[in-house]
Amino acid sequence: MTTASAPVPKFQKRPTPARKVNRAIDDRFGTQGAIRRNFNKVFPDHWSFLIGEIALYSFMILLLTGIYLTLFFDPSNVEIIYNGSYVPLKGVEMSRAYASTLDISFDTRAGLVFRQIHHWAALVFVASIIAHMMRVFFTGAFRKPREVNWLIGIVLLMLALVEGFAGYSLPDDLLSGTGLRIAASIAQSIPVIGTWTSFLVFNGEFPGENFIPRLYVVHILLVPGILLALIGAHLGILWHQKHTDFPGPGKTEHNVVGHRVFPVFAVKSGGFFMLTFAVLALLGGLAQINPIWTFGPYDPAKVSSASQPDWYIGFLDGSTRLMPPWEFRGLGHTIPAVLWPTAVLPGVLFTLAALYPFLEAKFTGDKASHNLLQRPREAPTRTAIGAMSLSFYLVLFISGGNDIIAHTFSISLNAMTWAGRIGLIVVPPIAYVVTKRLCISLNERDAEIAHHGIETGIIRQLANGEFVEDHRPKPPPVSDYPQVPTDRIPLPAGAADGAHGKGLAHRAGKAVGGFFTEETEKPAGDAPVGGGSKH
Amino acid sequence: MTTSKASESAASSSAGAAGRPRLVSRRNARRSRSASVRRRRRSSSIVLLLGLLATGVMWTVLAPGGNATETPDANEAVRQGRALFAQGCATCHGLNAQGSSEGPSLIGVGAAAVDFQMSTGRMPLAAPAAQADRKDPLYSETQIDQVEAYIQSLGGGPEDPDLTDADLNDADLAEGGELFLANCAQCHQAAGAGAPLTYGKFAPSLSQATADQVVEAMRTGPESMPVFGPGQINEEEAVAVAAYVRHLQDAPAPGGASIGKYGPVPEGLVAIVIGLGALLGVCLWIGARQKL
């Protein structure tokens, strides 16, 4: 590859246990070639490419904490009398699901903190999926050849919402039950098949007698299994197609410039996982989430004011709040108003999102493959469509909590609702126009700098009296990697001694071998690593 | 013919015989009625006199002496309360608490309503709005007691409950919680954090409500709140609800910072702003290009 001119290093291969194991496996399965090839894979460096990893790591934390919770949760509708250590509910009749959630919270070692980490991780999981989706959208990373990964991403997002809602509904507290009651109503609102759909899901009339076990299977087996498989496919396709990158010196449509998986990218990713875990653990340990003991056990006759779904379902709550009560009756059927904001609207939104790569290709006529990203300003129409969609979503999202916002800021709830209704129609077009103008202006400014240079602020008067401002030419773009490491050379023993001394650090450095080798670059500084599609 | 004449004469004679005595008897009746009326008037006036005499005797024996010696403070409190009322409340509620276009009649609302409105600072009203909000009380406890005594003296009504800590500690917290979730949470929210109603009205947060105020609000139904009378929620249950509200206020959040108590909305805000925000910061840190 790129090692032609560098001196071939001589590795002192110590027979460490890791090397022995690796040799043993390689002797039997012939894995060394694949390991070498994949360890040498290059990933581009940009902070925004790491957002998807937040979702991945939150998902892993969800699996780990979820496994712990399954040890103690009892998914059962059977009614019992609570006799645990939470005094204000002693003697109250409740389902075993709710009672076991109380036991996890109050009578299980580390149960509450695991529950809270699990819940915070779920909220951050969906948030990071949407942030990742925004990054992919606004940089045009979904374009050919990556449409399939975009589609998988949309399915992942939808499944994440389903999974989150299932988890929210499992503890069988007042909030869960209220959410399920609404879900049952949404199912019933579908014309012709609605009632049967609801009966199928709840095994009869809401709330049914064995719904929680069903939901439990969906939450801990079915959806996570599909999520895991699709995440595997998502990453596998990414691995195969290679990551996109922003244009820059030395970057072309046919190469990848960045760091190899091992060691730099692997260490960074490992650290990132730890930091994600740290942030979620801090939230889980310091901030109370879903205090089910306050809401009490579910009873269809009770409801709490300001009952909201978790934030990622909030936009549907908002659309329901904004929808006028338009009920259609005729042809022997009733179509309730709730059908439009809760079933039709998300269907339309997710369909449009899934089809977007194909729609864009159709309308722009751009059928080429793209491995280089665009800055948002370089595609003003796409960026404007994105801003329009986001503003539409945000109006719905804010309306989902409009009662709490109204109460907190002493605004009339009716005013909030009407502001949402009008805002939903007025704000998105404004966002479209403003964003598009902004992108075009930024492009014009870029073009001006390219043609005339950068303003210096120095005004000169010419002999004929004319004033002119001096411009200096834009400096040529600097490579992201002036010293791209192309090969690894073991640290000379003397230098290591000088740098680290003979102490603990030195011994630790020797113990982890390759991590502490010095990396020098090829003489030609600008050459990208891993040119070509061989990686 | 003869028979008919005979019958005619018989008829006429019988008519004459019947007519005369009837006249006589009418005259007699008139005379006798006026006599009985006279007699009756005389007897009823005697009864009246006796009654008045008895009332007078009883009044002189029982009423003034007893009240005056037993509760001199009560009368004093009513007097003081009336003065305070005339000064601070009468502008809207009328000089005799009969109400006006600016404020409702307070006759029969009881001491409980007065204590609730004045001890939560809602009355006197800061400004006319969709709903009065809680503020620091303007009157001292003694003054509020005096106004209470005055309003109670006008037409009775629910009394000030005056709960003690012992009452609350003895109450059944679980029962209070069930009653709270069944009757109060649909407006005040499950944690008593409060929530809006229509057109700027709202169910206030219960974070500062004292046990007395909770019971008073249930009994008197201030603002948009319905009255929960003793027929719906008896004395013991009302105390249990008050005890549960105190529990909601005092109980520490076992899970850490109780962010807003509303559940998903503040949680979502924290997850997005702090959780995702911090992790995006980590992205920037880890993803920063290093100079190798």
Side-chain angles (χ1 to χ4, degrees):
Chain A
M1 270 181 302
T2 50
T3 52
S5 61
V8 177
K10 286 200 175 203
F11 285 98
Q12 290 287 318
K13 291 198 173 173
R14 285 158 294 170
T16 59
R19 285 207 173 102
K20 278 186 197 158
V21 170
N22 188 33
R23 169 72 55 82
I25 294 172
D26 185 38
D27 284 348
R28 285 158 182 81
F29 301 103
T31 49
Q32 190 56 39
I35 289 176
R36 171 59 62 199
R37 197 163 57 248
N38 284 315
F39 272 13
N40 277 343
K41 203 169 173 62
V42 173
F43 274 88
D45 246 4
H46 191 269
W47 69 270
S48 71
F49 301 161
L50 300 176
I51 299 173
E53 285 183 49
I54 305 176
L56 179 67
Y57 301 141
S58 326
F59 184 70
M60 287 159 71
I61 290 156
L62 280 167
L63 289 180
L64 293 173
T65 50
I67 289 167
Y68 186 75
L69 294 175
T70 56
L71 302 178
F72 306 101
F73 181 67
D74 182 1
S76 163
N77 281 87
V78 175
E79 294 282 312
I80 57 156
I81 304 289
Y82 179 71
N83 195 25
S85 57
Y86 185 67
V87 175
L89 285 172
K90 260 196 177 163
V92 174
E93 196 180 346
M94 58 183 65
S95 67
R96 291 175 68 149
Y98 183 71
S100 63
T101 316
L102 286 177
D103 289 342
I104 289 173
S105 305
F106 294 111
D107 297 307
T108 306
R109 190 171 297 275
L112 184 57
V113 76
F114 269 82
R115 240 197 82 215
Q116 296 199 147
I117 294 174
H118 192 72
H119 205 134
W120 282 118
L123 299 191
V124 170
F125 176 54
V126 186
S128 56
I129 289 177
I130 290 176
H132 173 59
M133 185 182 166
M134 280 159 59
R135 198 281 296 170
V136 169
F137 181 87
F138 284 113
T139 58
F142 55 81
R143 292 174 298 170
K144 189 183 172 188
R146 295 181 175 79
E147 303 100 323
V148 174
N149 240 9
W150 171 264
L151 285 176
I152 292 176
I154 297 284
V155 176
L156 281 171
L157 173 60
M158 290 195 291
L159 285 175
L161 300 192
V162 171
E163 177 71 350
F165 185 73
Y168 168 90
S169 304
L170 271 179
D172 201 29
D173 60 315
L174 192 54
L175 216 48
S176 305
T178 307
L180 281 176
R181 168 78 265 185
I182 295 167
S185 306
I186 293 168
Q188 285 171 345
S189 76
I190 303 168
V192 186
I193 58 163
T195 310
W196 296 110
T197 311
S198 170
F199 277 27
L200 183 72
V201 171
F202 289 97
N203 195 25
E205 289 283 0
F206 176 85
E209 294 193 342
N210 51 5
F211 180 63
I212 290 174
R214 287 183 174 197
L215 195 64
Y216 189 57
V217 172
V218 169
H219 182 71
I220 70 157
L221 181 69
L222 188 63
V223 180
I226 302 172
L227 275 174
L228 207 54
L230 286 179
I231 288 172
H234 203 65
L235 293 179
I237 291 173
L238 161 77
W239 202 271
H240 177 73
Q241 291 183 329
K242 292 167 212 66
H243 206 287
T244 50
D245 198 359
F246 286 105
K251 297 175 183 176
T252 71
E253 287 282 0
H254 304 290
N255 71 356
V256 183
V257 178
H259 285 111
R260 295 194 191 284
V261 164
F262 195 83
V264 174
F265 195 73
V267 171
K268 281 188 171 189
S269 294
F272 197 7
F273 173 78
M274 294 300 174
L275 281 166
T276 309
F277 206 162
V279 168
L280 294 175
L282 278 175
L283 276 174
L286 297 178
Q288 178 168 288
I289 187 165
N290 197 18
I292 53 148
W293 50 89
T294 313
F295 302 122
Y298 181 56
D299 174 349
K302 293 174 187 166
V303 68
S304 166
S305 183
S307 286
Q308 255 94 6
D310 273 342
W311 76 263
Y312 40 83
I313 309 285
F315 76 108
L316 294 179
D317 198 331
S319 63
T320 314
R321 286 163 193 241
L322 297 187
M323 179 75 192
W326 293 335
E327 190 172 274
F328 169 81
R329 282 180 204 182
L331 307 172
H333 288 284
T334 300
I335 300 180
V338 77
L339 175 75
W340 307 108
T342 57
V344 174
L345 178 82
V348 170
L349 289 184
F350 280 111
T351 307
L352 282 177
L355 293 181
Y356 187 81
F358 308 101
L359 292 174
E360 188 184 292
K362 186 174 163 52
F363 282 104
T364 58
D366 180 6
K367 311 274 186 201
S369 281
H370 296 280
N371 290 320
L372 285 180
L373 298 171
Q374 287 173 307
R375 289 194 299 169
R377 70 181 67 169
E378 288 163 18
T381 307
R382 178 201 301 143
T383 307
I385 288 173
M388 182 177 75
S389 313
L390 268 184
S391 62
F392 183 83
Y393 177 84
L394 276 177
V395 172
L396 291 179
F397 182 56
I398 290 169
S399 297
N402 63 4
D403 51 348
I404 291 173
I405 295 169
H407 190 61
T408 309
F409 297 105
S410 300
I411 306 166
S412 162
L413 181 57
N414 302 61
M416 279 293 295
T417 304
W418 275 105
R421 284 172 178 168
I422 296 166
L424 193 64
I425 295 165
V426 171
V427 174
I430 294 175
Y432 180 89
V433 172
V434 168
T435 310
K436 191 160 182 177
R437 291 307 318 166
L438 209 62
C439 288
I440 291 170
S441 303
L442 286 168
N443 281 334
E444 282 169 355
R445 187 164 165 274
D446 286 352
E448 196 186 306
I449 288 172
H451 284 106
H452 301 289
I454 297 164
E455 290 177 359
T456 57
I458 299 166
I459 310 288
R460 281 191 300 122
Q461 189 175 22
L462 301 181
N464 61 4
E466 185 190 350
F467 284 99
V468 291
E469 185 184 3
D470 280 353
H471 286 68
R472 63 180 166 82
K474 194 186 174 191
V478 181
S479 167
D480 290 339
Y481 304 98
Q483 295 182 307
V484 172
T486 55
D487 218 326
R488 301 191 298 129
I489 295 168
L491 208 61
D497 290 347
H500 302 293
K502 297 269 183 196
L504 191 66
H506 176 62
R507 270 181 278 133
K510 285 187 86 167
V512 288
F515 280 33
F516 288 87
T517 54
E518 187 177 76
E519 296 178 323
T520 57
E521 86 289 2
K522 238 174 51 165
D526 261 3
V529 179
S533 53
K534 290 282 180 279
H535 285 292
Chain B
M1 273 301 275
T2 50
T3 51
S4 72
K5 262 188 188 170
S7 68
E8 255 178 42
S9 65
S12 67
S13 70
S14 73
R20 217 165 282 156
R22 202 183 288 159
L23 272 174
V24 169
S25 73
R26 221 178 265 162
R27 256 181 234 133
N28 285 347
R30 201 175 292 156
R31 210 175 296 139
S32 70
R33 193 184 297 161
S34 63
S36 78
V37 166
R38 239 176 281 132
R39 235 178 286 129
R40 228 181 290 152
R41 274 191 192 145
R42 213 176 298 136
S43 65
S44 63
S45 63
I46 290 167
V47 170
L48 194 64
L49 270 173
L50 280 172
L52 282 172
L53 194 67
T55 314
V57 168
M58 282 170 78
W59 179 259
T60 46
V61 170
L62 298 173
N67 273 1
T69 51
E70 272 170 35
T71 56
D73 292 348
N75 281 338
E76 177 62 15
V78 169
R79 206 180 57 74
Q80 295 278 4
R82 186 189 287 122
L84 285 168
F85 185 89
Q87 194 180 32
C89 320
T91 317
C92 300
H93 290 292
L95 269 175
N96 297 311
Q98 79 279 19
S100 75
S101 58
E102 306 297 320
S105 161
L106 299 184
I107 295 166
V109 299
V114 175
D115 189 43
F116 177 83
Q117 297 288 352
M118 293 181 72
S119 67
T120 61
R122 287 185 167 81
M123 289 290 148
L125 207 55
Q131 187 170 324
D133 205 355
R134 192 184 180 99
K135 59 181 188 290
D136 287 338
L138 200 66
Y139 291 87
S140 72
E141 257 177 68
T142 322
Q143 288 172 317
I144 293 171
D145 285 345
Q146 288 165 348
V147 180
E148 274 177 52
Y150 169 59
I151 295 296
Q152 192 73 28
S153 77
L154 292 178
E159 295 267 9
D160 195 339
D162 281 330
L163 298 179
T164 61
D165 273 352
D167 293 336
L168 295 172
N169 294 340
D170 291 346
D172 184 348
L173 210 51
E175 189 191 17
E178 289 212 87
L179 287 166
F180 184 87
L181 288 170
N183 295 294
C184 317
Q186 62 265 65
C187 295
H188 288 287
Q189 198 262 346
L197 305 169
T198 50
Y199 298 107
K201 295 191 288 267
F202 57 92
S205 161
L206 303 180
S207 61
Q208 290 170 287
T210 65
D212 276 0
Q213 287 164 357
V214 172
V215 175
E216 284 157 6
M218 286 161 65
R219 295 306 190 214
T220 63
E223 307 276 0
S224 309
M225 183 166 161
V227 174
F228 294 90
Q232 289 160 288
I233 290 185
N234 65 31
E235 208 54 50
E236 185 198 336
E237 290 167 340
V239 177
V241 171
Y244 188 73
V245 171
R246 187 182 68 162
H247 162 76
L248 287 177
Q249 296 164 347
D250 295 350
S258 69
I259 39 175
K261 293 186 175 179
Y262 279 113
V265 171
E267 286 161 14
L269 196 67
V270 170
I272 293 171
V273 175
I274 297 179
L276 187 65
L279 288 170
L280 289 178
V282 172
C283 280
L284 280 166
W285 180 37
I286 289 185
R289 296 198 179 96
Q290 313 125 299
K291 299 238 158 38
L292 285 167

